[in-house]
């Protein structure tokens, strides 16, 4: 048998192997699914969806690199700002920067509703969760009045929120690409309630211990005054961040592939 046969045969084998490798790479690039350990559910199976959403929260604690989602322990937000209102009990300008949320991913999902098969109109997905304790840490700058008492300072701030119950309303729309429908996040609204908020701040009144302890006692005894003003700002900042994260998560998963078909 001639040497040309072996050369030609080897060349054909190499081409075949190269084709298999290329096909495999393309398959890996275009095959999309939920990240492990999250699995698909049957349409309308809320119990299964709650279980998978809780798994996804736990997965997000360490990040989901394949979906360009960073670690959410802690969940980081650049800035949260509240401006004073003279007509309210809390009349302060408060700027929180380098904000970090701890234990956010330890929440338990308690409800998911709103998925439909009608993709001609926006869907409103309502998700509820409960978090036994969440901690917020940030650098702060505050100036104003709390219950007519003056407060001023700049330093480090820690807020501990107990038994946080949250309701997420996510409006999503379908966009058709190559015969498939992909979901995009149009709006997220977060509403929260909690049983208690405990706040600590360093360097109030330039470090005056007596004044600091007095105002912190007032703040913690009247924690709802502080919470009612700050919580909506916190939720708005989280909603903005969550919108970006969900967009990254759903960008390459067709809605047709969300649910089991059998």
């Amino acid at each position: 048998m001639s040497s040309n046969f072996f050369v030609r045969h080897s060349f054909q084998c190499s081409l075949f192997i190269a084709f298999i490798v290329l096909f495999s790479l393309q398959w890996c690039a275009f095959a999309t699914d939920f990240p492990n350990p999250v699995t698909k559910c049957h349409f309308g199976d809320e119990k299964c969806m709650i279980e998978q959403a809780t798994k996804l929260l736990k997965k997000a604690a360490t990040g989901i690199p394949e979906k360009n989602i960073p670690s959410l322990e802690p969940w980081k937000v650049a800035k949260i700002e509240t401006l004073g209102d003279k007509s309210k009990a809390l009349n302060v300008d408060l700027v929180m920067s380098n904000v970090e949320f701890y234990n956010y991913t330890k929440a338990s999902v308690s409800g998911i509703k709103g998925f439909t098969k009608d993709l001609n109109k926006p869907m409103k997905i309502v998700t509820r969760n409960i978090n036994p304790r969440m901690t917020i840490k940030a650098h702060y700058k505050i100036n104003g009045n709390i219950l007519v008492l003056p407060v001023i300072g700049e330093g480090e701030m820690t807020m501990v929120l107990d038994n946080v119950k949250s309701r997420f309303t996510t409006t999503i729309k379908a966009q058709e690409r190559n015969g498939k429908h992909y979901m995009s996040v149009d709006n997220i609204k977060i509403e929260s309630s909690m049983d208690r908020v405990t706040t600590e701040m360093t360097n109030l009144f330039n470090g005056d211990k007596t004044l600091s302890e007095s105002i912190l006692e007032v703040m913690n005894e009247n924690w709802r005054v502080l919470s009612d003003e700050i919580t909506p700002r916190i939720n708005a900042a989280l909603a903005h961040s969550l919108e970006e994260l969900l967009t990254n998560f759903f960008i390459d998963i067709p809605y047709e592939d969300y649910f089991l078909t059998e």
Side-chain angles (χ1 to χ4, degrees):
M1 196 170 291
S2 70
S3 59
N4 287 337
F5 173 81
F6 289 108
V7 171
R8 186 169 62 252
H9 182 68
S10 298
F11 179 70
Q12 290 171 341
C13 286
S14 298
L15 282 177
F16 178 74
I17 292 170
F19 172 79
I20 293 297
V21 171
L22 179 62
F23 179 80
S24 298
L25 289 173
Q26 289 178 328
W27 173 255
C28 290
F30 291 103
T32 58
D33 210 336
F34 297 124
N36 289 327
V38 181
T39 58
K40 297 179 184 179
C41 300
H42 287 99
F43 187 86
D45 187 348
E46 186 181 12
K47 180 181 178 182
C48 175
M49 286 190 283
I50 288 172
E51 291 172 352
Q52 303 315 312
T54 300
K55 286 182 184 178
L56 183 58
L57 266 178
K58 302 298 184 276
K59 175 74 173 176
T62 56
I64 309 174
E66 63 269 31
K67 294 293 181 182
N68 197 28
I69 295 176
S71 168
L72 296 187
E73 280 299 340
W75 190 343
K76 298 180 180 181
V77 173
K79 181 184 288 188
I80 298 172
E81 188 170 0
T82 300
L83 298 178
D85 185 340
K86 293 181 180 179
S87 66
K88 295 184 178 181
L90 182 71
N91 177 26
V92 297
D93 294 337
L94 173 63
V95 178
M96 300 166 63
S97 55
N98 299 322
V99 189
E100 296 182 336
F101 295 81
Y102 291 86
N103 294 334
Y104 202 92
T105 62
K106 288 183 169 58
S108 297
V109 180
S110 57
I112 299 178
K113 296 185 182 295
F115 286 103
T116 71
K117 294 183 178 181
D118 183 2
L119 301 182
N120 293 316
K121 58 184 180 181
M123 279 183 248
K124 284 195 174 182
I125 312 301
V126 178
T127 308
R128 299 176 187 272
N129 69 30
I130 302 173
N131 196 317
R133 173 164 287 190
M134 186 169 66
T135 300
I136 303 173
K137 294 185 177 184
H139 183 84
Y140 82 89
K141 187 174 183 179
I142 191 170
N143 187 18
N145 295 280
I146 298 176
L147 300 175
V148 307
L149 298 175
V151 58
I152 188 170
E154 181 175 0
E156 302 306 313
M157 177 181 188
T158 300
M159 300 176 69
V160 178
L161 289 63
D162 289 323
N163 198 30
V164 183
K165 298 177 182 178
S166 298
R167 183 179 189 266
F168 300 76
T169 303
T170 305
T171 304
I172 56 178
K173 296 180 179 180
Q175 298 178 341
E176 188 172 354
R177 300 199 309 264
N178 300 321
K180 296 280 189 178
H181 294 87
Y182 296 83
M183 308 314 292
S184 63
V185 179
D186 186 57
N187 179 261
I188 298 177
K189 181 181 180 181
I190 304 176
E191 301 164 283
S192 299
S193 65
M194 56 216 69
D195 288 351
R196 178 76 184 171
V197 177
T198 305
T199 303
E200 291 292 334
M201 291 174 159
T202 66
N203 202 42
L204 285 168
F205 303 103
N206 284 325
D208 187 301
K209 184 178 179 181
T210 302
L211 290 176
S212 295
E213 290 178 350
S214 296
I215 197 67
L216 285 172
E217 183 178 357
V218 171
M219 290 172 64
N220 287 320
E221 286 179 353
N222 299 275
W223 64 269
R224 287 194 185 278
V225 173
L226 184 64
S227 175
D228 288 349
E229 289 299 315
I230 295 179
T231 298
R233 272 71 173 184
I234 290 174
N235 286 340
L238 288 175
H240 179 75
S241 177
L242 185 59
E243 183 176 328
E244 182 179 346
L245 295 175
L246 287 179
T247 297
N248 290 340
F249 185 81
F250 290 121
I251 193 168
D252 58 357
I253 305 177
Y255 189 70
E256 288 82 356
D257 294 344
Y258 282 17
F259 304 102
L260 294 171
T261 56
E262 297 180 356

